[in-house]
Amino acid sequence: MISANNVTLRVGKKALFEDVNIKFTEGNCYGLIGANGAGKSTFLKILSGQLEPTKGEVAITPGERLSFLQQDHFKYDEYPVLDTVIMGNARLYEIMKEKEVIYAKEDFTEEDGIKASELEAEFATMNGWEAESDAASLLNGLGIDTELHYKYMKDLTGPEKVKVLLAQALFGNPDILLLDEPTNHLDLDAIAWLEEFLINFDNTVIVVSHDRYFLNKVCTQIADIDYGKIQLYAGNYDFWYESSQLLIRQMKEANKKKEEKIKELQEFISRFSANASKSKQATSRKRALEKIQLDEIKPSSRKYPYIDFRPNREIGNEVLTVEGLSKTIDGEKVLDNISFTLGHDDKVAFVGSNELAKSVLFKILIGEMEPDEGTYKWGVTTSQAYFPKDFGGEFDNDYNITEWLTQYSEEKDVTYVRGFLGRMLFSGEDGVKKVKVLSGGEKVRCLLSKMMISGANVLLLDEPTNHLDMEAITALNNGMIKFPGVLLFTSRDHQIVQTTANRIMEIVPGGHLIDKITTYDEYLESDEMARKRQTYSVQTEEND
């Protein structure tokens, strides 16, 4: 068990947390949620001991081991991958290294023998003989091939490092597991594996995630950070949402009844306080009035943007025809003879572990990259708006937010432009903020404003939920569902894919395309699709 006792954290004059008391018990997976800036990651750092609270303490049951997901992707660059995972259990790794030093001695003494015997006993107690196979099993489950296990961390890609650090956190059955955004940079197969791992994990888990589907799958409790406090709710994310909304409605209804009673008492007192025959009744009602206390309904720190993509023109029947597109990047064939046709009702989710292939396809379709072979043709009634995964160059200028968005608007009126920014929670002085100093989430909201103001009837979105908080993701999800045009998108957010897409396209290893008119959940359950993915994978290995 891990608990926070009267924990307060002040940043300057602001109290991020105030006298927080909460217990996290064995056998539960807690989803730690809250608006951006509420302090989710900060609270995890306090629990893990990386950050000292201003007041209060964190208590852990004696003898229990705590593990947390490391965020420094370069910290272990000089270590082999397997060693990095095993370091998740620091004492076990220390024993392994001590043993290596002792057994490497040329003048092995009796004292060394006694020490080695003690280390071997402790090593066996900690299941040390299974350490490498357990670490390899975690890596394989997360999609890190065996051939990479003995490479150095510096030789891995960014997403591969993320998976190794996640395996490190999971290694050795920790008693308390703290995970800050564990699904970031994971492909959907790795996320599915992690979900099953956590569902079957018997100890204490506290996880921060913006993935609503993930929280619904793995969480048994929700710890909601709001108003500087943390409130526990039994159940998963959806249950928390319904419970919290119900609680607010009940408080508002109770206040409404109290306000009606207050008005009734005030009218009686005002009417009869000067009447001698009614003075006792008026006095009695004054006492009753003083006892009525309205429930305090604090304004939540959560703010939902309003995302509404409205096309300026209705789309025709001919939308997009793609014939034989192929593209090789750095010697890898990421697209191989891809062909498909889109209709005016299509909302297509592009899935698959090869993220480069999906981004390359979008860049070709939007005109930013030329294919090696093949053609594509947009219908004459179409207009496109594009959300790139890598959008750093969009903001490498000296514009403020209003000036930046105005350049993409046919209507140059400042009030009109600021209306779109207001929908995305930019208000007042935000309008003159320089775009190059914006946070990742603010830049994403700017890009979504740009897409809304474009009036396009075809939207291409490449991982638009990166950097967004839960409220903005929910708003984006609703906007995509309501959009009357054609969508082509990629997303690691399972709920967005499931609730939005009516057609799934998977680019499998080797650059081939599987195209299916279905929902995402039905697609994942399809044995035929699993066989096709395996077949393509085998064919690719044979061709290599």
Side-chain angles (χ1 to χ4, degrees):
M1 184 187 76
I2 182 170
S3 62
N5 304 315
N6 297 315
V7 166
T8 296
L9 180 69
R10 294 190 176 277
V11 181
K13 294 182 179 180
K14 179 185 176 184
L16 197 57
F17 306 112
E18 192 80 52
D19 294 324
V20 169
N21 290 282
I22 189 168
K23 291 180 181 180
F24 301 98
T25 58
E26 183 180 357
N28 283 306
C29 179
Y30 298 86
L32 188 61
I33 65 170
N36 272 3
K40 301 182 293 294
S41 296
T42 301
F43 190 68
L44 282 190
K45 287 179 180 178
I46 291 174
L47 293 179
S48 67
Q50 298 174 78
L51 184 65
E52 284 290 325
T54 307
K55 188 182 77 172
E57 63 176 8
V58 172
I60 297 176
T61 301
E64 291 195 345
R65 184 171 70 86
L66 181 146
S67 179
F68 59 91
L69 177 58
Q70 297 278 356
Q71 301 296 323
D72 184 353
H73 298 168
F74 304 100
K75 183 176 180 179
Y76 301 94
D77 273 1
E78 300 307 316
Y79 293 93
V81 168
L82 267 181
D83 278 26
T84 302
V85 176
I86 296 171
M87 284 180 190
N89 188 334
R91 177 55 187 157
L92 178 61
Y93 186 73
E94 182 184 347
I95 291 171
M96 291 172 66
K97 292 303 163 185
E98 282 189 60
K99 283 170 54 184
E100 285 179 13
V101 170
I102 291 175
Y103 291 138
K105 285 185 175 182
E106 293 183 3
D107 53 341
F108 191 86
T109 65
E110 182 179 346
E111 190 176 298
D112 289 330
I114 294 171
K115 181 63 176 176
S117 177
E118 293 172 350
L119 290 173
E120 290 289 4
E122 189 176 356
F123 185 71
T125 302
M126 299 177 75
N127 294 321
W129 296 111
E130 288 79 40
E132 287 199 7
S133 62
D134 289 347
S137 178
L138 290 170
L139 290 168
N140 289 332
L142 287 166
I144 299 296
D145 294 335
T146 303
E147 64 193 43
L148 297 177
H149 294 187
Y150 297 95
K151 288 185 177 293
Y152 280 82
M153 286 288 283
K154 63 185 176 184
D155 299 323
L156 271 57
T157 65
E160 288 169 343
K161 287 182 179 180
V162 169
K163 291 180 177 181
V164 175
L165 293 179
L166 179 55
Q168 180 193 74
L170 304 179
F171 176 76
N173 195 38
D175 300 290
I176 300 160
L177 179 58
L178 308 182
L179 300 174
D180 191 357
E181 296 292 356
T183 62
N184 277 4
H185 308 293
L186 292 188
D187 55 75
L188 292 167
D189 288 337
I191 293 173
W193 181 90
L194 178 60
E195 288 168 355
E196 288 304 312
F197 181 94
L198 294 179
I199 288 168
N200 295 307
F201 189 73
D202 293 330
N203 298 331
T204 305
V205 182
I206 307 171
V207 59
V208 171
S209 177
H210 287 145
D211 188 328
R212 297 159 297 164
Y213 181 87
F214 177 77
L215 292 177
N216 278 329
K217 284 277 283 188
V218 305
C219 291
T220 59
Q221 305 257 339
I222 294 295
D224 178 30
I225 301 180
D226 209 353
Y227 323 115
K229 301 289 184 181
I230 303 180
Q231 177 71 41
L232 272 182
Y233 294 80
N236 62 14
Y237 178 79
D238 281 350
F239 189 82
W240 161 80
Y241 183 79
E242 293 299 328
S243 299
S244 60
Q245 294 303 303
L246 176 62
L247 181 62
I248 291 172
R249 286 197 300 271
Q250 288 174 338
M251 290 174 68
K252 286 181 176 178
E253 288 170 4
N255 275 355
K256 185 178 179 181
K257 290 179 181 178
K258 289 178 182 178
E259 285 168 352
E260 289 172 354
K261 185 65 176 176
I262 288 171
K263 184 179 179 182
E264 177 189 321
L265 291 171
Q266 286 175 334
E267 287 177 352
F268 185 92
I269 293 166
S270 174
R271 186 176 176 186
F272 295 110
S273 58
N275 188 320
S277 63
K278 298 282 187 178
S279 62
K280 286 186 178 180
Q281 293 178 37
T283 301
S284 174
R285 280 165 171 74
K286 281 182 182 179
R287 294 197 191 100
L289 181 61
E290 290 169 358
K291 291 179 181 178
I292 297 176
Q293 297 290 327
L294 294 177
D295 293 323
E296 184 182 5
I297 304 176
K298 298 179 181 178
S300 174
S301 58
R302 290 183 171 83
K303 294 181 180 180
Y304 290 84
Y306 179 68
I307 299 177
D308 187 19
F309 303 110
R310 294 187 182 181
N312 292 334
R313 180 180 184 181
E314 188 175 347
I315 201 165
N317 291 325
E318 294 183 6
V319 178
L320 174 65
T321 302
V322 174
E323 294 184 354
L325 280 189
S326 294
K327 185 69 177 180
T328 299
I329 303 287
D330 296 332
E332 177 190 355
K333 198 155 196 175
V334 294
L335 303 176
D336 187 7
N337 195 31
I338 284 181
S339 300
F340 60 87
T341 302
L342 293 186
H344 60 76
D345 293 321
D346 282 332
K347 287 183 166 65
V348 186
F350 286 83
V351 302
S353 58
N354 192 335
E355 309 227 344
L356 175 62
K358 293 175 283 187
S359 294
V360 166
L361 177 60
F362 279 25
K363 287 179 181 179
I364 289 173
L365 295 180
I366 210 67
E368 289 188 2
M369 186 180 287
E370 289 294 323
D372 296 335
E373 299 173 19
T375 62
Y376 66 94
K377 183 180 179 182
W378 289 103
V380 294
T381 63
T382 65
S383 56
Q384 300 83 38
Y386 172 49
F387 182 104
K389 180 190 288 187
D390 182 7
F391 48 74
E394 292 262 1
F395 301 95
D396 189 17
N397 54 67
D398 288 322
Y399 287 130
N400 63 39
I401 295 178
T402 304
E403 292 168 341
W404 180 88
L405 186 57
T406 301
Q407 67 181 321
Y408 300 110
S409 174
E410 291 184 9
E411 174 61 64
K412 302 301 181 182
D413 179 67
V414 172
T415 303
Y416 175 80
V417 173
R418 278 183 173 260
F420 283 88
L421 292 172
R423 295 179 190 177
M424 298 307 295
L425 307 180
F426 294 110
S427 59
E429 293 301 312
D430 289 336
V432 295
K433 201 173 182 180
K434 295 290 185 180
V435 293
K436 60 184 172 185
V437 302
L438 298 178
S439 68
E442 288 172 326
K443 287 176 180 177
V444 171
R445 287 189 276 127
C446 279
L447 287 170
L448 293 173
S449 298
K450 173 186 171 183
M451 297 189 83
M452 284 193 288
I453 211 168
S454 73
N457 54 25
V458 179
L459 305 181
L460 296 89
L461 301 110
D462 194 359
E463 295 293 350
T465 62
N466 289 351
H467 307 289
L468 290 182
D469 61 18
M470 198 90 74
E471 292 69 43
I473 291 172
T474 300
L476 175 60
N477 195 171
N478 293 336
M480 291 170 70
I481 291 170
K482 290 188 300 181
F483 180 57
V486 170
L487 278 176
L488 296 85
F489 69 97
T490 70
S491 179
R492 294 188 189 90
D493 190 297
H494 187 117
Q495 192 161 332
I496 281 183
V497 179
Q498 171 60 19
T499 57
T500 304
N502 55 23
R503 187 173 176 181
I504 304 295
M505 293 189 188
E506 179 174 3
I507 303 176
V508 296
H512 303 281
L513 182 73
I514 299 173
D515 183 2
K516 194 78 171 175
I517 297 175
T518 183
T519 67
Y520 184 53
D521 284 347
E522 290 169 344
Y523 184 80
L524 291 177
E525 292 168 4
S526 168
D527 289 335
E528 179 187 359
M529 292 304 106
R531 285 196 300 273
K532 282 185 178 180
R533 285 194 288 272
Q534 182 62 33
T535 299
Y536 280 130
S537 179
V538 170
Q539 286 175 345
T540 303
E541 289 174 7
E542 290 175 350
N543 291 338
D544 291 344

